[in-house]
Amino acid sequence: MFDAGTATVVVVGAQWGDEGKGKLVDVLAERADLVVRYQGGANAGHTVVIGDTQFVLRQIPSGILHAGVVCLVGNGVVLDPETFFGELDQLAERGIDTAGRIFVSERAHLVLPYHKLLDAASDKSQKLGTTGRGIGPAYEDKYGRRGIRVTDLRRLDCARALLTERVERANRLLEMMGAGERASLEQHGALLERLAPRLLPLATDVGLLVHRAVREGKRVLLEGAQGSLLDVDHGTYPYVTSSNTTAGGAAVGAGIGPTLVHAVLGVVKAYTTRVGNGPLPTEAESPDEERLRQLGGEFGAVTGRPRRCGWFDATVVRYAARVNGLTGLAVTKLDVLDSFDRIPVCVGYELDGERCDQMPAEADALGRVRPVYERHEGWRAPTGAARRLADLPPAARRYLDRLEALSEVPVRYVSVGTRRDQIIEVSGG
Ligand code: GDP
């Protein structure tokens, strides 16, 4: 993706998340100098497999697994400091040196224990099927202008005053919700004191670092979490996450201007999955759904929850291509389809008896659509060893060609297994 005119690339999920962005970022990070996370919190779990070791990264950009790559957590992220330091410690235990390679935006908001208590007590979170890690309440505080940011730790006395107000407010809400637990001011105060000396040395103006890096001719990857259909504006509202997962969010959440974004790679599975509640038009029927889930290992990286599985939905990907301005596609998990005899692909919808080729704004309407399927012949052969398009069975190539035509975005990468080397780079990419 990087070339003379392309120094900054955004990697976004173009479905409902878990598309394998972690693996793509890991592969692309080899050629990058900086990797920036721009939104989300510790609810996103990227899984990267290197050799026999599996890393699940929630807060730290997966670029950290490449020596020499500098990783930044942008202002658009809500930072769960305990998870963050837990991850740093785990990386250290596995011999990965992160010193001088990880920085956090001083403008990022903190996810604190009271956010998690509020999340756990909220009926809404349960109805939406959130991960319950305090992300939603932390974003609510951000937009309600009562958040606590990394920079606030620089003046602990002020931070403590903020905290008193926030903890009292959280406890009033918890009482109203009928929750048994209460947030402890003492515990929160002690947490901030413990955090400050470790977090502040990493705190910086991330936007400025990215800006300077681009001016110096460095290569920057901007890494999204979740997927486009979970974007708070463009997703299947209200079954969405609390941030802008789409490429526009990359500029805002990293602290750079949109003109600094040169390319946008959309990651899609060769089929579709979704975690949590909300419409999924191409959800497969039994036993295909279980088969996709087992073959694809479709269980949440953070929660272990089984993912709902279905067929490739071209309406979703075309929509994601438009709202993100995708310049390339990475199709992952092609190998998961290796044993299927016939593979349906959704080419459009019928809504209330009429053809509908655009994404409806209402979740209810999306819940009512009937997918229009094409049925493709399976290739019934393993693809995991393919390293060039020419190594793939003809039926697999035809399948990819069709996904490309329907999505109206060129396929630049095809992933055929969990390992770093199991990737096909399409020439011109
Ligand atoms: P992310 O958040 O988008 O990075 O997605 P996850 O990490 O939650 O889910 C992707 C899962 O699919 C991980 O377990 C990856 O190891 C795995 N994966 C990624 N690419 C491929 C692929 O091409 N084939 C197979 N079989 N698994 C893959």
Side-chain angles (χ1 to χ4, degrees):
M1 292 295 288
F2 291 114
D3 58 37
T6 313
T8 52
V9 177
V10 178
V11 177
V12 289
Q15 294 161 324
W16 275 280
D18 311 309
E19 297 92 347
K21 295 174 296 295
K23 174 171 170 177
L24 259 296
V25 170
D26 180 53
V27 168
L28 289 169
E30 210 160 46
R31 293 166 222 172
D33 300 294
L34 250 63
V35 179
V36 194
R37 259 287 297 273
Y38 61 81
Q39 48 70 231
N43 49 349
H46 283 323
T47 317
V48 182
V49 181
I50 297 170
D52 294 329
T53 315
Q54 175 168 310
F55 294 87
V56 177
L57 296 169
R58 297 170 192 184
Q59 289 269 262
I60 298 181
S62 38
I64 201 74
L65 302 172
H66 290 274
V69 172
V70 173
C71 289
L72 307 173
V73 175
N75 56 276
V77 170
V78 288
L79 182 78
D80 180 337
E82 289 184 291
T83 309
F84 176 77
F85 286 121
E87 270 173 40
L88 275 187
D89 293 342
Q90 265 182 36
L91 289 167
E93 275 163 30
R94 292 176 182 195
I96 294 174
D97 183 13
T98 57
R101 295 206 293 127
I102 177 105
F103 297 96
V104 172
S105 168
E106 54 200 0
R107 291 175 169 84
H109 284 244
L110 294 174
V111 182
L112 293 170
Y114 65 82
H115 292 124
K116 295 181 194 173
L117 289 178
L118 287 170
D119 215 353
S122 153
D123 289 343
K124 191 177 81 189
S125 297
Q126 268 141 42
K127 215 168 83 201
L128 298 179
T130 75
T131 51
R133 287 171 193 271
I135 319 292
Y139 275 112
E140 281 176 35
D141 277 358
K142 171 175 174 170
Y143 293 108
R145 287 163 291 180
R146 51 175 181 268
I148 298 182
R149 303 191 299 168
V150 171
T151 189
D152 292 324
L153 297 180
R154 291 188 169 123
R155 293 188 305 154
L156 270 181
D157 48 335
C158 298
R160 239 182 260 113
L162 285 178
L163 202 54
T164 309
E165 214 181 291
R166 307 307 185 249
V167 168
E168 277 171 10
R169 182 177 181 277
N171 283 339
R172 281 198 304 276
L173 288 174
L174 287 167
E175 192 178 344
M176 270 163 53
M177 290 165 160
E181 275 194 90
R182 294 290 176 271
S184 146
L185 181 58
E186 206 181 317
Q187 224 175 45
H188 276 81
L191 175 67
L192 290 200
E193 262 165 55
R194 208 172 62 239
L195 282 177
R198 205 167 170 198
L199 197 51
L200 287 176
L202 309 181
T204 187
D205 185 339
V206 161
L208 180 64
L209 285 190
V210 178
H211 187 83
R212 283 193 180 141
V214 176
R215 287 226 309 226
E216 286 163 15
K218 296 202 168 128
R219 293 168 159 188
V220 182
L221 259 189
L222 299 146
E223 169 184 348
Q226 292 106 16
S228 302
L229 275 290
L230 293 175
D231 183 288
V232 67
D233 283 271
H234 303 294
T236 46
Y237 194 89
Y239 302 97
V240 292
T241 195
S242 316
S243 55
N244 285 115
T245 56
T246 45
V252 176
I256 54 171
T259 45
L260 274 197
V261 173
H262 301 151
V264 185
L265 182 70
V267 186
V268 293
K269 278 179 193 169
Y271 50 99
T272 306
T273 64
R274 161 163 212 164
V275 202
N277 302 328
L280 177 61
T282 60
E283 195 157 12
E285 287 177 10
S286 201
D288 284 335
E289 183 177 25
E290 288 78 11
R291 208 168 142 204
L292 283 169
R293 185 179 299 130
Q294 289 305 329
L295 290 168
E298 298 297 353
F299 299 90
V302 174
T303 58
R305 280 191 288 183
R307 294 177 183 145
R308 296 157 66 197
C309 298
W311 308 113
F312 188 88
D313 185 337
T315 305
V316 163
V317 178
R318 237 183 351 250
Y319 174 67
R322 174 163 65 82
V323 295
N324 287 293
L326 296 185
T327 57
L329 268 191
V331 179
T332 65
K333 296 195 148 185
L334 185 71
D335 54 296
V336 172
L337 300 178
D338 284 352
S339 63
F340 285 82
D341 291 329
R342 297 198 79 68
I343 307 169
V345 168
C346 167
V347 296
Y349 300 145
E350 270 176 19
L351 175 59
D352 303 331
E354 294 199 11
R355 184 73 188 232
C356 156
D357 291 327
Q358 299 299 330
M359 182 59 58
E362 287 161 77
D364 256 15
L366 190 63
R368 283 203 314 278
V369 300
R370 291 189 34 197
V372 178
Y373 284 117
E374 271 177 9
R375 285 188 167 66
H376 288 256
E377 187 199 340
W379 41 95
R380 296 177 295 258
T383 53
R387 296 294 174 271
R388 297 170 308 149
L389 280 183
D391 300 335
L392 289 173
R397 294 193 61 175
R398 281 197 295 277
Y399 183 74
L400 288 171
D401 286 346
R402 189 63 184 139
L403 301 196
E404 178 173 274
L406 288 167
S407 313
E408 299 169 11
V409 183
V411 173
R412 308 295 294 267
Y413 294 93
V414 181
S415 174
V416 290
T418 53
R419 290 200 324 266
R420 213 178 227 181
D421 63 309
Q422 288 180 302
I423 192 122
I424 297 170
E425 191 170 341
V426 179
S427 56

